[in-house]
Amino acid sequence: MPNRPGVIGAVSGEEAEIVSKVCIVLTSGSREKLQFAAMMASVAAVSTYDVTVFISMNALPYFVEGDTAPAPAEGEMGKLIEEKNAPEFLDLLEQAVELGEAKIHPCSMAVDILGVSEDELKPFLAEPMGLTKFLSLAEGGQCWSF
Amino acid sequence: MSERKTIDARGTYCPGPLMELIANLKLIDVGDELEVLSTDKGSASDIPEWIDKVGHEMVSSTEEGGVWHIVVRKTK
């Protein structure tokens, strides 16, 4: 029996282990969207989902080591998140990796455009990934875009 | 004999209390309990949902003066 999307190890005569995939595309540089993407990634990763996050466009500069200006709030909720004791989105994403084995890949195109090396990116990130590979990984899973 | 440790997650928001719970579950022995103190109402319903999904045991959940005391037993 061929493997079906979302089903890993579905081999004839063996019991299939079902793993639901959650794929998150993060392209926004606003605090609100970075925050919610990080919330979703962390909770999904610790709740038995197989999580892949793909970071591109205006989101990527926040994953470069060093002093980066805070992400603009965008709206009222973003301002409140800044004022109150909400978890930092970078901390949540790191927890997604450490506690839930999420894979967080920077987009290889965006890495090239930004002109940074892998060594300059946050250490919890996995290797840069191309869109073709991401689309292949995301096949059959839930896909969320922020 | 099982032990109980308390995590003070008051003042933080979703998913802070849940992530604190999970990080601490990795550090305790099977059979031991964690009590999470949380002022986040959403976490009071989310934590039991997570416990049910992954198969640990909910011991109790009570609210006192705006603080939820959520007690969980590690089962595996």
Side-chain angles (χ1 to χ4, degrees):
Chain A
M1 181 170 88
N3 282 4
R4 287 181 286 120
V7 178
I8 294 174
V11 180
S12 179
E14 296 179 6
E15 188 176 340
E17 177 192 357
I18 297 176
V19 177
S20 296
K21 291 191 288 189
V22 170
C23 299
I24 297 173
V25 180
L26 182 50
T27 57
S28 171
S30 87
R31 176 70 193 267
E32 288 183 8
K33 291 192 175 71
L34 290 162
Q35 186 77 21
F36 201 83
M39 290 166 62
M40 178 168 276
S42 57
V43 173
V46 298
S47 301
T48 72
Y49 291 94
D50 180 5
V51 174
T52 303
V53 181
F54 188 67
I55 300 169
S56 190
M57 300 302 176
N58 290 321
L60 188 60
Y62 298 101
F63 295 86
V64 177
E65 289 279 49
D67 293 332
T68 305
E74 185 177 345
E76 191 59 32
M77 284 301 292
K79 290 177 191 162
L80 289 169
I81 285 167
E82 287 172 354
E83 290 170 11
K84 301 203 174 184
N85 191 23
E88 289 291 330
F89 67 86
L90 286 172
D91 293 341
L92 287 174
L93 288 169
E94 189 166 9
Q95 287 176 324
V97 173
E98 289 181 355
L99 301 176
E101 299 179 9
K103 301 286 188 298
I104 304 178
H105 295 275
C107 164
S108 54
M109 178 279 289
V111 170
D112 288 345
I113 293 277
L114 202 56
V116 293
S117 67
E118 280 187 56
D119 292 343
E120 294 173 90
L121 296 169
K122 296 289 182 191
F124 62 84
L125 296 189
E127 73 279 6
M129 179 182 282
L131 196 47
T132 305
K133 179 75 182 291
F134 174 73
L135 288 170
S136 175
L137 273 176
E139 189 173 353
Q142 300 179 43
C143 199
W144 302 83
S145 174
F146 298 91
Chain B
M1 185 176 170
S2 67
E3 295 183 4
R4 180 181 291 186
K5 178 183 173 187
T6 299
I7 305 163
D8 190 351
R10 289 176 294 180
T12 189
Y13 293 86
C14 171
L18 174 64
M19 301 307 283
E20 285 285 318
L21 168 69
I22 294 166
N24 280 277
L25 271 173
K26 289 181 179 289
L27 305 176
I28 65 171
D29 294 328
V30 171
D32 286 351
E33 295 176 355
L34 286 176
E35 178 184 33
V36 183
L37 306 184
S38 173
T39 47
D40 179 53
K41 191 175 182 180
S43 295
S45 57
D46 268 3
I47 288 175
E49 182 76 21
W50 183 83
I51 291 297
D52 184 52
K53 185 171 179 63
V54 303
H56 292 298
E57 183 182 339
M58 272 296 299
V59 176
S60 63
S61 178
T62 55
E63 187 261 329
E64 193 175 322
V67 178
W68 276 265
H69 297 248
I70 305 159
V71 181
V72 171
R73 184 178 295 119
K74 180 172 177 171
T75 59
K76 59 185 179 181

